[in-house]
Amino acid sequence: MRIGELSRRSGVPVPTIKFYVRERLLPAGELTSPNQADYGPDHERRLRLIRVLLEVGGLSLAAIGEVLEAADDPGQPVIRVLGRAAEGVPPLGEGEGEAGPELEQAREDVAELLRRRGWQVDEGASAAESLAGVVAALRGVGHGGLVDLMDVYADAAETVAGADLDYVMSRVAREELVEGVVVGTVLGEAMFGALRRLAHEDVSVRRYESRAAGGPLAGGGAAGA
């Protein structure tokens, strides 16, 4: 296909495609004349991946280049490529925590959580640092009791992580694996957060409003009411 058709199929403007080629994010097309080149399905798939990394994952162009380089290297184990993609996604709450005794204590709590659960994770990982910032913030606003629920949240997180990896590993191409990790990391968290809010509303109604009204749920019946 010509570059115009590639642009229409991918939704990426022609000037942007040419920029990606110059920056070596996208392989050049096969020259058919001095001024024309042909592009194939691999180019369209690569453009989709770049869009996901940029628009969904929020990665910088430099970080995208590193992820793509790893994905293109057949000598890189798949798990390392997936790790590079996940680490490139900006963590939630990045930059919100300030160094101090509260944050240091939170880091120790997170490290202890990782040891207690036997999670094979580097204590300096960006997600661990993000969690430490959340723990410090919870204590700072007087809700340190939520920190005691970390293992409960971790139980749920293990289940969700298993489902995420099952989905990701069902992909075949390395680029699809990377895309699945980025989409799962960003939109998967958004989906989990939305489901959590829905569950909060349901549990609140079942526990409190039905009891206050003396409705059927107060006695444990009519669960679908």
Side-chain angles (χ1 to χ4, degrees):
M1 74 183 89
R2 296 288 188 260
I3 193 170
E5 183 181 353
L6 177 63
S7 174
R8 288 191 296 273
R9 291 171 65 101
S10 66
V12 179
V14 169
T16 303
I17 293 175
K18 292 181 177 179
F19 171 75
Y20 290 158
V21 172
R22 289 197 303 271
E23 294 297 312
R24 301 182 184 276
L25 298 177
L26 182 72
E30 182 180 352
L31 286 176
T32 56
S33 71
N35 297 318
Q36 288 189 336
D38 268 344
Y39 299 86
D42 288 345
H43 291 92
E44 185 179 351
R45 186 181 301 114
R46 174 57 61 95
L47 284 174
R48 184 180 70 180
L49 176 57
I50 293 173
R51 288 191 64 181
V52 167
L53 293 171
L54 185 66
E55 299 173 9
V56 179
L59 276 69
S60 66
L61 288 178
I64 290 174
E66 292 178 2
V67 172
L68 295 178
E69 182 180 358
D72 288 338
D73 182 0
Q76 289 275 7
V78 170
I79 190 65
R80 191 168 298 172
V81 177
L82 300 184
R84 179 70 64 85
E87 283 294 311
V89 178
L92 298 176
E94 184 178 35
E96 293 180 1
E98 296 183 1
E102 296 83 3
L103 184 57
E104 287 303 318
Q105 179 59 53
R107 286 171 175 157
E108 292 179 12
D109 292 338
V110 171
E112 172 57 29
L113 172 75
L114 298 179
R115 289 191 292 268
R116 183 169 66 249
R117 301 191 67 90
W119 284 3
Q120 301 179 57
V121 180
D122 184 355
E123 294 177 8
S126 59
E129 184 67 14
S130 180
L131 178 57
V134 172
V135 169
L138 283 170
R139 288 179 175 144
V141 296
H143 285 275
L146 274 172
V147 178
D148 298 332
L149 298 178
M150 273 204 296
D151 275 292
V152 177
Y153 283 85
D155 287 340
E158 282 186 354
T159 301
V160 172
D164 286 343
L165 265 293
D166 287 343
Y167 170 76
V168 168
M169 298 310 292
S170 69
R171 311 292 94 184
V172 178
R174 286 165 72 95
E175 290 192 350
E176 290 184 346
L177 285 170
V178 173
E179 183 178 322
V181 167
V182 174
V183 172
T185 298
V186 178
L187 299 186
E189 287 189 5
M191 180 170 67
F192 186 75
L195 286 168
R196 181 169 176 259
R197 292 194 298 273
L198 290 170
H200 276 173
E201 183 172 345
D202 174 69
V203 172
S204 296
V205 170
R206 291 174 182 273
R207 288 189 180 181
Y208 303 112
E209 294 186 19
S210 295
R211 291 175 185 174
L217 292 182

